[in-house]
Amino acid sequence: MSGRSGLLPLLVLPAVAVNLLVFLWPILNLAGLSFREGLPGGGLGTEFTLATWQELAADEFFREILLRSIVMSLSITLLALLAAYPLAFFVHRSDPRWRSILVVACISPLLISAVVRTYGWLVILGDRGFAPAILRGIGIEPGRLVFNMTGVVIGLVEILMPYMILCLLAGFGRLNHTLEEAAASLGAPPFTVFRRIVLPLTLPGILLGCLLTFVLTISSFITPKLLGGGRVLLLATEIYDQAIVTLNWPLAAALSVIALGVFGLAIFVYGRIARAAERAIA
Amino acid sequence: MAPHLELHALEKRFGATRAVQALTLAVGKGELIGLLGPSGCGKTTTLRMIGGLMPASAGRIVVAGRDVTALPPHQRDMGIVFQNYALFPHMDVAQNLSFGLEMRKIPAAERAARVTRALAMVRLEAFARRKPRELSGGQQQRVALARALVIEPSILLLDEPLSNLDANLREEMRNEIRDIQQRLGITAVFVTHDQSEALAICDRIAVMRLGVLEQLGTPFEIYERPANEFVAGFVGRVNRAPAERLADGRLRLGELLVQGSGTAGPGPVTLMIRPHRIRLGDGALEGPGWNSATGTVTRRTFVGDLLSIEVTVGPATLLVEQHSFAGAPGPAPGDAVQLAWRAEDTLVFPARVPA
């Protein structure tokens, strides 16, 4: 038995090897790229230089982009959570015969590419789309719904909601309806039952869903690019522009390293909160 | 004594099925009443309606003269012990107990004192800081009981509280529940499908089947004077034999003529005799008020304390149970034996009309 478990670590060896080769190696390469000089036309100098990083540190523009990306991603995460939580709760609570069908319905948007869905939102939110038409019909002047931050937020919330729902449903596993009944029988009104029982028990799912949605938001660039119409400048879209359009590879590499840093920070914060929550719950 | 809990024509319908039908019941203050029946008899549905976890389709629930039928569960002031205990997994034992007191806005100092007292009541003082999953089934059960009682509810509702425990613990816990219920003098409703549990601790038992109250009575009445064939068959083991009531009141079982209780008949009836009320003997027990018969042993099962013997008597096969004795192994298959039982132990019910 002990001999067998001694060999167990070997099972992760292939995954570790692949990760080293196709993940860690390119990332180190990328980091190295940010210390090279960018030549016009996409060429690279051979000298080690801090020029790109100094430029980034000095430029107000990039700090704005970073801040905007983080604030927008946090907002989208929160909105996706608010939209997905009641839905996931409903699916979790529904008759087991219907539950699997409802789960499939919730995540079926993932079967369609995000690009296609983004174009769908362009049609819906566009000036002659039906969303503005309906709003005007009920007497609200919506203003522009696409090619600005509003469009990006609406599109990303919808596109990322399936991930949030999946995480929430996974987290609802420890919720048992009898616990709510027990709390009610002990004198807790419905909102107190939610606050003291349901929320703490579903917190792990909430945290996981938020982490995933945040990371996916901050790294998405197709939807912000299309729905933002080039007017919403974010970290991911800027990396794309610098790498593909301007061909300033060192700058794109430096921004990528910053994005990676944000991911790392997000995972760190998630870990701290999740551990604290786990201590309080388990 | 004025009843503390009254159910008036309580009814629960799920679509076309009536899970509970016109149930009327009055429970006295401090009484422990059992709702007993097979699964699907409506006992748990009744309990959930009393606790407000399920709305009643019709009828009224009255507690101490106040109609609570329309009240949500958190305003009913009832302590419920759930079958799976439903302890809050993210709170330790003391927090679980404290929850109901917080909901009642009890000051912290008094809360702590009452939690300590409740834990002492179920002998779990040392476990206040444990999480529910760190406790054994019996300990979880006691925490659930303490949590329901610490709020000093007007009624205690127990939903099959012992069914997840192993046999030894079950007996210990049922006595503990009874002791605590008696000590606090609290009105309690105890749902179970286990007749021995109900007989052992309830003041009165309501036997239910298919949503209908079949009989309400003390354990003695339920066991010795069952109202019908279903109650007799559900509560305790029983021999069943088709017979005919003659005009003179005697009963004809094949070639045999016996005396029985009840007034069913004349015509086809069902005889029911409890296995342990039949004596194996040599005919010496015969006398006024006794029935006797001769039969052939077809099977003998020795289970240590009990000897159960199947005896064929005319058209019927009767199971006879008696305490085993070290002296002799008892009759063997093929032996002819004398059976005797009292007329009053011969329950007679109208034969069920084939549906």
Side-chain angles (χ1 to χ4, degrees):
Chain A
M1 200 59 213
S2 60
R4 235 188 260 175
S5 61
L7 290 177
L8 222 50
L10 286 180
L11 293 178
V12 298
L13 216 61
V16 170
V18 168
N19 257 321
L20 284 175
L21 200 70
V22 305
F23 185 68
L24 206 59
W25 166 248
I27 280 180
L28 289 175
N29 234 335
L30 195 71
L33 213 59
S34 69
F35 295 105
R36 308 272 288 278
E37 188 193 354
L39 302 174
L44 289 168
T46 48
E47 299 289 301
F48 175 87
T49 169
L50 286 171
T52 307
W53 288 100
Q54 280 161 348
E55 184 194 339
L56 273 179
D59 198 333
E60 193 72 24
F61 173 71
F62 289 111
R63 231 171 301 156
E64 247 171 58
I65 281 184
L66 180 61
L67 194 66
R68 186 184 303 126
S69 295
I70 291 174
V71 170
M72 186 196 78
S73 297
L74 288 175
S75 314
I76 286 172
T77 302
L78 187 68
L79 288 172
L81 175 65
L82 292 178
Y85 196 91
L87 195 59
F89 198 82
F90 172 78
V91 171
H92 175 75
R93 206 30 71 69
S94 53
D95 192 305
R97 275 176 302 174
W98 297 106
R99 196 180 303 151
S100 47
I101 297 173
L102 289 171
V103 171
V104 171
C106 283
I107 60 172
S108 59
L110 294 179
L111 295 174
I112 302 166
S113 139
V115 181
V116 175
R117 282 196 283 157
T118 303
Y119 275 112
W121 277 112
L122 276 176
V123 174
I124 294 168
L125 299 174
D127 288 343
R128 278 174 297 172
F130 71 80
I134 288 172
L135 287 175
R136 275 190 211 103
I138 57 170
I140 299 167
E141 183 45 55
R144 289 208 79 170
L145 293 179
V146 276
F147 307 135
N148 56 17
M149 189 59 106
T150 314
V152 176
V153 170
I154 293 173
L156 277 176
V157 165
E158 187 271 334
I159 284 164
L160 297 176
M161 249 176 70
Y163 298 102
M164 182 65 96
I165 292 174
L166 276 181
C167 291
L168 291 178
L169 280 176
F172 281 5
R174 45 203 303 184
L175 195 60
N176 178 339
H177 189 49
T178 332
L179 295 177
E180 291 157 67
E181 293 184 339
S185 77
L186 291 167
F191 184 73
T192 308
V193 174
F194 177 77
R195 192 172 53 82
R196 296 283 308 269
I197 309 296
V198 177
L199 200 58
L201 288 175
T202 55
L203 197 56
I206 293 175
L207 292 174
L208 187 63
C210 287
L211 173 71
L212 193 64
T213 310
F214 178 81
V215 167
L216 287 174
T217 308
I218 212 161
S219 60
S220 67
F221 69 94
I222 298 173
T223 304
K225 202 126 183 85
L226 291 173
L227 283 172
R231 291 189 196 97
V232 179
L233 301 178
L234 299 166
L235 200 55
T237 57
E238 199 57 25
I239 293 171
Y240 176 85
D241 281 346
Q242 294 298 339
I244 307 296
V245 182
T246 323
L247 297 179
N248 187 347
W249 287 20
L251 186 55
L255 289 172
S256 300
V257 171
I258 291 174
L260 209 61
V262 174
F263 293 165
L265 192 69
I267 289 169
F268 175 75
V269 170
Y270 162 80
R272 292 299 289 268
I273 299 178
R275 252 200 309 281
E278 199 60 38
R279 256 201 307 280
I281 289 168
Chain B
M1 185 165 51
H4 186 59
L5 167 67
E6 297 161 78
L7 310 180
H8 295 288
L10 196 63
E11 195 144 323
K12 182 68 195 179
R13 289 183 291 266
F14 296 108
T17 51
R18 297 208 290 171
V20 176
Q21 299 182 31
L23 179 62
T24 296
L25 199 64
V27 186
K29 182 122 188 80
E31 190 179 14
L32 174 57
I33 194 156
L35 298 181
L36 174 67
S39 65
C41 73
K43 56 192 190 299
T44 292
T45 306
T46 303
L47 181 109
R48 292 175 62 81
M49 284 193 285
I50 298 173
L53 304 176
M54 193 181 259
S57 304
R60 288 186 306 128
I61 300 163
V62 178
V63 177
R66 191 168 71 113
D67 190 323
V68 301
T69 318
L71 286 184
H74 65 275
Q75 289 170 11
R76 288 207 185 185
D77 192 28
M78 294 186 188
I80 307 181
V81 176
F82 293 86
Q83 186 171 5
N84 63 3
Y85 317 138
L87 300 177
F88 307 131
H90 56 303
M91 301 182 190
D92 65 26
V93 168
Q95 288 168 331
N96 263 281
L97 262 61
S98 179
F99 186 85
L101 300 174
E102 288 168 44
M103 295 303 123
R104 282 165 175 69
K105 310 265 187 302
I106 308 282
E110 192 192 334
R111 254 185 357 236
R114 279 170 70 171
V115 166
T116 309
R117 239 181 301 146
L119 281 176
M121 178 179 70
V122 294
R123 294 175 285 122
L124 285 176
E125 298 95 321
F127 296 85
R129 291 292 153 221
R130 296 274 189 95
K131 286 283 166 67
R133 64 185 163 81
E134 296 165 342
L135 302 178
S136 70
Q139 290 167 338
Q140 290 186 25
Q141 167 68 79
R142 297 218 291 273
V143 174
L145 183 64
R147 185 180 66 175
L149 287 170
V150 73
I151 59 173
E152 292 168 10
S154 69
I155 293 174
L156 176 65
L157 303 175
L158 302 135
D159 184 9
E160 304 247 9
L162 306 175
S163 60
N164 286 341
L165 301 176
D166 56 43
N168 297 330
L169 205 52
R170 204 176 299 169
E171 205 161 305
E172 189 187 317
M173 269 315 296
R174 80 172 187 216
N175 294 335
E176 193 160 339
I177 288 175
R178 176 58 165 172
D179 286 349
I180 290 172
Q181 183 267 337
Q182 289 284 290
R183 213 170 337 132
L184 302 179
I186 190 170
T187 309
V189 180
F190 180 85
V191 162
T192 181
H193 65 271
D194 182 331
Q195 42 101 6
S196 61
E197 246 169 61
L199 291 172
I201 66 169
C202 294
D203 293 306
R204 282 190 304 157
I205 298 171
V207 184
M208 296 177 72
R209 176 175 61 152
L210 299 173
V212 178
L213 178 63
E214 295 278 339
Q215 187 175 3
L216 176 66
T218 62
F220 182 82
E221 287 165 353
I222 296 283
Y223 191 81
E224 298 295 347
R225 294 191 251 294
N228 54 43
E229 202 185 322
F230 169 78
V231 175
F234 188 74
V235 182
R237 266 176 302 169
V238 72
N239 286 300
R240 236 176 261 256
E244 194 186 341
R245 174 85 83 175
L246 303 175
D248 63 2
R250 287 190 301 172
L251 302 145
R252 194 162 65 81
L253 177 66
E255 301 293 298
L256 197 65
L257 285 177
V258 297
Q259 299 160 292
S261 67
T263 55
V269 292
T270 302
L271 294 189
M272 298 181 95
I273 312 161
R274 305 226 182 255
H276 69 279
R277 294 285 166 85
I278 304 177
R279 300 211 188 164
L280 277 177
D282 47 13
L285 292 165
E286 279 183 69
W290 284 83
N291 291 313
S292 69
T294 313
T296 311
V297 176
T298 49
R299 185 202 293 264
R300 188 180 68 114
T301 315
F302 176 71
V303 288
D305 56 340
L306 279 182
L307 193 59
S308 61
I309 299 154
E310 261 176 41
V311 182
T312 306
V313 181
T317 299
L318 299 178
L319 184 69
V320 180
E321 275 178 3
Q322 57 172 221
H323 294 290
S324 58
F325 296 99
D335 289 359
V337 286
Q338 275 278 322
L339 303 179
W341 67 94
R342 285 176 190 278
E344 66 205 42
D345 285 331
T346 316
L347 306 169
V348 185
F349 299 104
R352 259 186 285 188
V353 185

